[in-house]
Amino acid sequence: SQKIEQNSEALNIQEGKTATLTCNYTNYSPAYLQWYRQDPGRGPVFLLLIRENEKEKRKERLKVTFDTTLKQSLFHITASQPADSATYLCAFRMDSSYKLIFGSGTRLLVRP
Amino acid sequence: EAGVAQSPRYKIIEKRQSVAFWCNPISGHATLYWYQQILGQGPKLLIQFQNNGVVDDSQLPKDRFSAERLKGVDSTLKIQPAKLEDSAVYLCASSLGSGVGQPQHFGDGTRLSIL
């Protein structure tokens, strides 16, 4: 079955550094990937979408890459700030289904 | 614009009791989703509506869970009877449509604890 994996260990970095989060998928080639941010006690908030024919997408300090050969998406936050501390979820949807499949998320901690 | 509204925010019940959650999506959003999020996991889709019709309910435990979306707007999700493993956050989301790439807008969920 389709599987999407994110690093379950928290990523702890110093303010000002670049945070890089990884999302790997198996047993399918999704048409696109979405990234969401989730704060404790809140619902996920949509951040970015990247399609399979796009290598890279940017939005302010955020950058997402999509490598269909490696079956991997990388999510970067440059010049990270303590306010960026949250759990980041990746998700993909198959062409044949309306269902969005989420990874378990990676928690990011940015130290001041 | 107002976001997705959910109530209640918290609910504590004993196993075998019943519970209902309510969701009001963003105005004009045709697609509505109910997700279950267990602690430490990502959201798992339970059911998806397009207007008031069910698009996908393949992961809904139909022996105990039910959902409806009357008039294509508000929706309710019910669990009867509840089991210990149903302890989770139940998230409602909506989107303009179900087309490729449509971002989903989530409410803050109902945290359900089963004693």
Side-chain angles (χ1 to χ4, degrees), chain B residues 72-110:
Chain B
V73 181
D74 293 5
S75 178
T76 55
L77 176 70
K78 296 179 181 177
I79 307 175
Q80 182 179 13
K83 291 186 175 181
L84 291 175
E85 65 252 34
D86 298 332
S87 292
V89 175
Y90 291 84
L91 295 163
C92 179
S94 69
S95 61
L96 273 173
S98 57
V100 170
Q102 282 286 346
Q104 297 184 17
H105 302 263
F106 285 80
D108 288 335
T110 297

Side-chain angles (χ1 to χ4, degrees), chain A residues 44-108:
Chain A
V45 174
F46 173 78
L47 295 175
L48 278 169
L49 176 149
I50 185 165
R51 300 175 190 274
E52 62 177 339
N53 60 353
E54 297 174 314
K55 297 297 182 186
E56 182 179 296
K57 200 80 169 280
R58 291 176 184 263
K59 179 182 176 183
E60 298 173 352
R61 295 184 296 111
L62 309 181
K63 184 179 84 171
V64 173
T65 63
F66 193 176
D67 189 325
T68 56
T69 302
L70 293 178
K71 293 186 181 291
Q72 181 181 80
S73 175
L74 298 179
F75 177 83
H76 307 272
I77 305 176
T78 57
S80 60
Q81 305 166 359
D84 295 327
S85 298
T87 295
Y88 291 86
L89 299 158
C90 66
F92 75 74
R93 200 181 84 174
M94 302 179 287
D95 286 334
S96 59
S97 167
Y98 293 103
K99 190 185 309 177
L100 197 61
I101 299 173
F102 281 86
S104 57
T106 297
R107 187 177 173 204
L108 173 65

Side-chain angles (χ1 to χ4, degrees), chain B residues 14-37:
Chain B
E14 294 185 350
K15 60 183 179 184
R16 292 188 290 275
Q17 286 188 323
S18 63
V19 64
F21 314 123
W22 172 81
C23 173
N24 180 238
I26 293 173
S27 177
H29 280 196
T31 311
L32 185 146
Y33 316 78
W34 282 102
Y35 287 89
Q36 179 192 59
Q37 187 173 25

Side-chain angles (χ1 to χ4, degrees), chain B residues 33-58:
Chain B
Y33 316 78
W34 282 102
Y35 287 89
Q36 179 192 59
Q37 187 173 25
I38 292 171
L39 189 64
Q41 299 182 18
K44 183 183 83 170
L45 181 69
L46 293 175
I47 188 167
Q48 178 177 338
F49 292 94
Q50 181 71 22
N51 296 309
N52 60 350
V54 175
V55 171
D56 188 327
D57 64 356
S58 58

